[in-house]
Structures are given as C-alpha cells and as structure tokens.
Amino acid sequence: ETGVTQSPTHLIKTRGQQVTLRCSSQSGHNTVSWYQQALGQGPQFIFQYYREEENGRGNFPPRFSGLQFPNYSSELNVNALELDDSALYLCASSPAGSYEQYFGPGTRLTVT
Amino acid sequence: LAKTTQPISMDSYEGQEVNITCSHNNIATNDYITWYQQFPSQGPRFIIQGYKTKVTNEVASLFIPADRKSSTLSLPRVSLSDTAVYYCLVGDMRNAGNMLTFGGGTRLMVKP
C-alpha cells in the first residue's frame, strides 16, 4: 500500500509568483486536506476536498486554491506569493468520515 | 471547535512513562479527542483517539475523565526516538470539512 506522497520536496519562489504543489492520496482515500505549517507552529488547515469538491476551508485568502482529480490526487495553488507564505505545506488523506488522517512528508516552500 | 491547552514542552528520560495532559474545557458532546505525533520535517502521524474513559493501542494509552474536559496521553517506557511534538486535537471529524485544528503542541525531549 502506497502512502501519501507530495511533490516537489522543496521549492524556492520569488514574491509575486505562483506555485502549484501536488499530492497523491493513499489508496482508497477519497478525502484530501491541505495544511500550512510555519516554523515552530502547528499545522493550520487550508481546505479539504471530497469527491472533487471543496468541502471546508480554513482562514486563508482566495489566492489559495485547490483541485482534486478523479483519482483523488490533489493540487494546491497559491497565487501572488508573499514572504509569509514560506512554510511546510502538508497534504493529508483519509477515507470519508474517518477520524484518522494520513499525512504526507510535505513540501517546503521558501518565498524570497 | 474546542480550544486545547497543552504544556509547551516536557523532558523525560529513556525508560520512563510520560504523561501529557491536554485541557479542552469547551469540548462538545459529539467531539472526539485525537493525538498526533510529529517529527521534524515530517507530517504528523496519528497516535490514538478516544471519546471517554480509556483507550489503549500498541503505542499509547489515552485517559479521559468523565467530564471530558481534559485528556492524558500516556507513553510507556519512552525511548530517544519518541522525541517529537505531540498534538492534542478535539472535534467531530465526521462533520463536513473534517477539519483538524492543531494547537502549538507539546515538545517532548527524551534524554538518555
């Protein structure tokens, strides 16, 4: 069974640019959530996708957007990058209605 | 979502039992209590979940008193590899959005 994978591992972008992060969910999981984790803090919920529809959103501006594909993989897009967007971005998958989420290793984004 | 309060950090020695307590005074009737473990530069990993009384699995025990306003994660005979950040989360994960709200967590340092 393949776990949650994310790409790329690391990324460096310039302020104002756009970035796309990718996540492949664990086999059999149809729900994907994205989190932002700043250094030294706990993960902050961005949004969740269930069956290709956004199913909940945290306190993040509209320039954070996402997609889920029929195979349940997902993308996180961030437009107009700001320095404060520098963080570890985590993807987590779960079966629908499950309490347990399985996290990927994350993508480290640095905005300069 | 119920707010949680945990100690910022704890120290222990190899072989000792570690108990980390989390306060969640405004826990709702449908809320469950879930604990995650996170190592540096990795995504959080599910440890244990419970609703009331005591839950035990192969890695930890979770004690929840009758009023459910707090919970205690117990790690038996810790080793150096248990050095990590431990997060307590409270919520009804079955709701649409399946949102996990992480607090600051407890940074556990296990010493030889």
Side-chain angles (χ1 to χ4, degrees):
Chain A
E1 184 179 86
T2 304
V4 178
T5 60
Q6 294 186 241
S7 62
T9 306
H10 296 89
L11 200 54
I12 299 175
K13 289 285 190 178
T14 303
R15 189 171 52 184
Q17 286 188 316
Q18 178 266 343
V19 69
T20 297
L21 309 181
R22 294 177 176 82
C23 170
S24 291
S25 61
Q26 187 161 322
S27 177
H29 290 185
N30 54 15
T31 302
V32 174
S33 302
W34 285 91
Y35 297 82
Q36 179 195 67
Q37 186 172 26
L39 204 59
Q41 298 182 22
Q44 300 298 306
F45 176 76
I46 303 175
F47 44 57
Q48 181 187 80
Y49 279 83
Y50 170 64
R51 292 186 176 180
E52 304 176 57
E53 298 279 339
E54 188 178 288
N55 190 37
R57 189 178 183 92
N59 188 28
F60 280 81
R63 59 189 185 85
F64 285 78
S65 63
L67 283 174
Q68 187 180 31
F69 300 99
N71 66 354
Y72 303 132
S73 65
S74 177
E75 286 183 354
L76 164 65
N77 299 290
V78 186
N79 294 322
L81 284 167
E82 301 177 358
L83 297 179
D84 286 348
D85 295 333
S86 294
L88 180 69
Y89 287 85
L90 295 161
C91 166
S93 74
S94 62
S98 171
Y99 295 95
E100 184 173 347
Q101 296 202 343
Y102 295 80
F103 284 80
T107 293
R108 173 72 62 186
L109 172 66
T110 302
V111 182
T112 62
Chain B
L1 290 171
K3 177 179 167 58
T4 60
T5 303
Q6 304 174 234
I8 294 174
S9 64
M10 294 180 68
D11 289 343
S12 182
Y13 291 92
E14 281 190 294
Q16 288 188 333
E17 178 184 76
V18 169
N19 296 308
I20 306 174
T21 297
C22 178
S23 297
H24 28 81
N25 291 320
N26 60 340
I27 188 169
T29 303
N30 293 331
D31 286 347
Y32 277 69
I33 300 155
T34 310
W35 286 79
Y36 279 77
Q37 174 194 54
Q38 187 177 26
F39 298 111
S41 299
Q42 293 186 25
R45 183 176 73 98
F46 174 89
I47 301 175
I48 198 167
Q49 179 187 82
Y51 183 81
K52 62 180 179 181
T53 63
K54 177 184 174 183
V55 180
T56 298
N57 62 22
E58 63 276 9
V59 299
S61 294
L62 179 60
F63 298 91
I64 305 168
D67 66 5
R68 304 201 326 122
K69 293 184 183 300
S70 67
S71 59
T72 299
L73 173 72
S74 180
L75 305 172
R77 296 181 297 282
V78 294
S79 63
L80 297 177
S81 63
D82 292 316
T83 294
V85 179
Y86 292 83
Y87 294 97
C88 163
L89 295 90
V90 173
D92 183 357
M93 312 305 177
R94 297 167 298 177
N95 281 340
N98 208 9
M99 182 170 72
L100 292 182
T101 299
F102 289 79
T106 297
R107 194 168 299 273
L108 173 66
M109 173 69 72
V110 180
K111 302 175 182 177

